[in-house]
Amino acid sequence: MPALVLLGAQWGDEGKGKATDLLGGSVDYVVRYQGGNNAGHTVVVGDQKYALHLLPSGILSPGCTPVIGNGVVVDPSVLFSELNGLNDRGVDTSKLLISGNAHIITPYNVTVDKVTERFLGKRKIGTTGRGIGPTYADKINRVGIRIQDLYDESILTQKVEAALDGKNQLLTKVFNRRAIEVGQVVEELLGYADRLKPYVADTVLVLNQALEQDKVVLFEGGQGTLLDIDHGTYPFVTSSNPTAGGACTGAGVGPTKISRVIGILKAYTTRVGSGPFPTELFDEDGDALRRIGGERGVTTGRDRRCGWFDAVIARYATRVNGLTDFFLTKLDVLTGWEQIPVCVAYEIDGRRVEELPYSQTDFHHAKPVYEYLPGWSEDITKAKSFSDLPKNAQDYVRALEEMSGAPISAIGVGPGRDETIEINSFL
Ligand code: IMP
């Protein structure tokens, strides 16, 4: 019953694609359990680079069944264009399964996302503008449209009517936009039904049966722990639960079935969009991390905010996810610094604080307390085992492990598939 959850331990973009890909060959099912096409995985296979936003990365491994769980929000036009792109490159996508309970990102949800952000002005969240928040809001308000609704026109029409009732008031009276027509939306959505049909399945049953048959199931989180709607830096978060519990609700698998929870941890920190970020750098070091690390969003093309490693956040991720392991990524990006600052605690209004403050006000005032670890200058991209790393790089990894509260079981030393040091096997 090996069920693994793989999730971002910081603010997303930790390099999950590489980690999933490393496991890809031995995994039977790769499941996305939350988020939508706001995610962005880059997977490098041979000399081919694939950017995936919605599809689970398992779609690239021939033996693996990719699954979009009930907790995901699906924009069908994006889904089809991703599938077309892969088919054009010869990737077989016919095994994909999509939960009939997954909610659809409708065109009006995308419109509401964009106008709301514009309306918020300088208080904006910095969303990806993909309609994620409004679609989850509709789900919770019980006016969402699910994939299964596409197969009953009368129900679909009633639901679109219910969803647009309030929204059209808002669009016309508050946002000064034109009302959206029910008929037009229904027609567009029905246009997706036939092509989606072969993929729609009772994914909860499929996954639980797979686990009973001892298949390996990998739950792949989008975004990251600090972007979680409950446990992240609210309100500067996404609208779903990337944390480990989200895998259970977003895929319909009980917590007793999860055997391992792996946190992907970048050797430094990045963040996209607004919100607090204590170790953020505004100097040459920040620019260097961005340049060397290629820190530009796969989904939005926005430059990522960059900063030093924050052990307070890593400890928090260990706690809220019950992490069993870390996969440390992008260690090679730190090559060349004489000293590497690591944030070990915060100073908040003159007090030293070791753990993530629960108060938003305190977190906004948190200043990093740094320890300085000696750097290394040797190229580490060819390292195959831990002992191949220079002593200072080994010490850096061990220090991070000690501060973060879970063993580091793999280390990424370059972007390629084989540029990974495996310390403990994940399976
Ligand atoms: P939303 O998910 O589009 O609603 O955006 C909410 C916040 O989450 C914004 O700050 C986004 O930049 C951030 N976000 C969403 N998806 C990702 C991701 O995959 N990586 C990093 N940040 C993300």
Side-chain angles (χ1 to χ4, degrees):
M1 192 188 63
L4 299 94
V5 181
L6 200 72
L7 51 83
Q10 295 149 320
W11 275 286
D13 307 316
E14 295 88 353
K16 287 179 286 270
K18 186 170 195 290
T20 349
D21 184 49
L22 175 76
L23 291 159
S26 20
V27 171
D28 300 301
Y29 293 81
V30 175
V31 188
R32 278 209 55 190
Y33 56 87
Q34 49 67 236
N37 55 304
N38 50 345
H41 293 319
T42 307
V43 186
V44 182
V45 183
D47 58 357
Q48 297 279 314
K49 204 170 174 179
Y50 298 89
L52 302 174
H53 303 287
L54 173 62
L55 290 167
S57 54
I59 198 114
L60 298 169
S61 306
C64 180
T65 302
V67 178
I68 292 181
N70 54 277
V72 176
V73 288
V74 179
D75 184 330
S77 64
V78 173
L79 176 74
F80 294 156
S81 77
E82 265 186 35
L83 288 173
N84 291 344
L86 290 174
N87 295 153
D88 290 348
R89 291 165 82 178
V91 178
D92 175 18
T93 54
S94 61
K95 290 173 89 174
L96 175 69
L97 300 178
I98 305 176
S99 165
N101 285 348
H103 281 246
I104 295 179
I105 302 177
T106 60
Y108 52 80
N109 290 138
V110 179
T111 305
V112 170
D113 193 0
K114 289 183 178 151
V115 292
T116 312
E117 280 284 274
R118 222 170 294 146
F119 206 69
L120 281 170
K122 67 178 180 15
R123 290 188 305 256
K124 71 175 187 205
I125 307 298
T127 73
T128 58
R130 304 292 199 262
I132 308 296
T135 305
Y136 279 112
D138 278 1
K139 174 177 175 175
I140 300 300
N141 277 332
R142 294 164 294 192
V143 290
I145 311 294
R146 293 184 294 173
I147 301 251
Q148 57 170 295
D149 298 328
L150 301 182
Y151 304 100
D152 185 328
E153 189 174 343
S154 140
I155 292 256
L156 178 68
T157 309
Q158 287 174 39
K159 289 190 173 178
V160 173
E161 267 166 12
L164 279 179
D165 242 8
K167 254 173 225 93
N168 272 336
Q169 300 281 336
L170 196 73
L171 284 172
T172 53
K173 295 188 179 143
V174 179
F175 294 123
N176 231 352
R177 306 275 297 210
R178 248 186 312 189
I180 295 170
E181 263 182 59
V182 174
Q184 216 173 345
V185 173
V186 170
E187 195 184 319
E188 177 172 341
L189 294 179
L190 286 175
Y192 299 127
D194 285 348
R195 185 162 179 203
L196 273 173
K197 188 98 195 232
Y199 302 116
V200 182
D202 182 350
T203 52
V204 173
L205 184 64
V206 170
L207 291 173
N208 280 283
Q209 285 176 337
L211 288 169
E212 274 159 29
Q213 292 159 15
D214 258 348
K215 302 276 195 234
V216 180
V217 180
L218 179 69
F219 298 91
E220 177 181 76
Q223 293 80 52
T225 298
L226 273 298
L227 287 174
D228 186 283
I229 185 85
D230 286 277
H231 302 291
T233 46
Y234 189 91
F236 302 103
V237 292
T238 194
S239 296
S240 63
N241 289 113
T243 48
C248 298
T249 45
V253 165
T256 50
K257 300 273 164 63
I258 308 290
S259 41
R260 211 132 168 208
V261 186
I262 303 156
I264 315 299
L265 191 63
K266 211 182 282 195
Y268 50 98
T269 315
T270 61
R271 168 163 209 173
V272 212
S274 319
F277 178 0
T279 63
E280 182 169 14
L281 294 165
F282 300 94
D283 58 6
E284 283 162 24
D285 283 333
D287 290 341
L289 287 173
R290 192 171 305 113
R291 191 182 62 251
I292 303 166
E295 297 297 352
R296 181 174 281 258
V298 179
T299 298
T300 58
R302 288 183 285 183
D303 271 353
R304 296 180 185 140
R305 301 158 63 191
C306 294
W308 299 120
F309 184 83
D310 185 336
V312 182
I313 278 172
R315 275 199 292 282
Y316 178 74
T318 304
R319 188 175 313 125
V320 294
N321 294 299
L323 295 182
T324 56
D325 304 79
F326 279 116
F327 187 134
L328 186 71
T329 57
K330 293 193 152 183
L331 185 63
D332 54 301
V333 173
L334 295 179
T335 300
W337 266 276
E338 211 166 299
Q339 278 195 322
I340 308 172
V342 170
C343 169
V344 294
Y346 299 140
E347 193 200 296
I348 303 173
D349 301 330
R351 284 172 300 127
R352 184 183 164 107
V353 174
E354 305 281 336
E355 302 298 345
L356 201 84
Y358 73 85
S359 137
Q360 183 185 352
T361 311
D362 281 354
F363 195 49
H364 277 267
H365 293 166
K367 293 195 185 69
V369 175
Y370 285 121
E371 250 178 38
Y372 296 84
L373 304 181
W376 60 91
S377 55
E378 301 90 331
D379 174 18
I380 61 167
T381 57
K382 306 284 172 299
K384 294 279 169 253
S385 68
F386 189 69
S387 58
D388 292 342
L389 291 174
K391 164 123 190 354
N392 286 354
Q394 290 186 18
D395 290 348
Y396 184 80
V397 172
R398 288 294 172 228
L400 263 46
E401 183 173 71
E402 180 104 342
M403 294 171 193
S404 306
I408 292 175
S409 295
I411 305 168
V413 290
R417 208 176 203 186
D418 48 0
E419 287 169 327
T420 296
I421 297 172
E422 234 181 312
I423 300 172
N424 306 309
S425 165
F426 289 122
L427 292 168

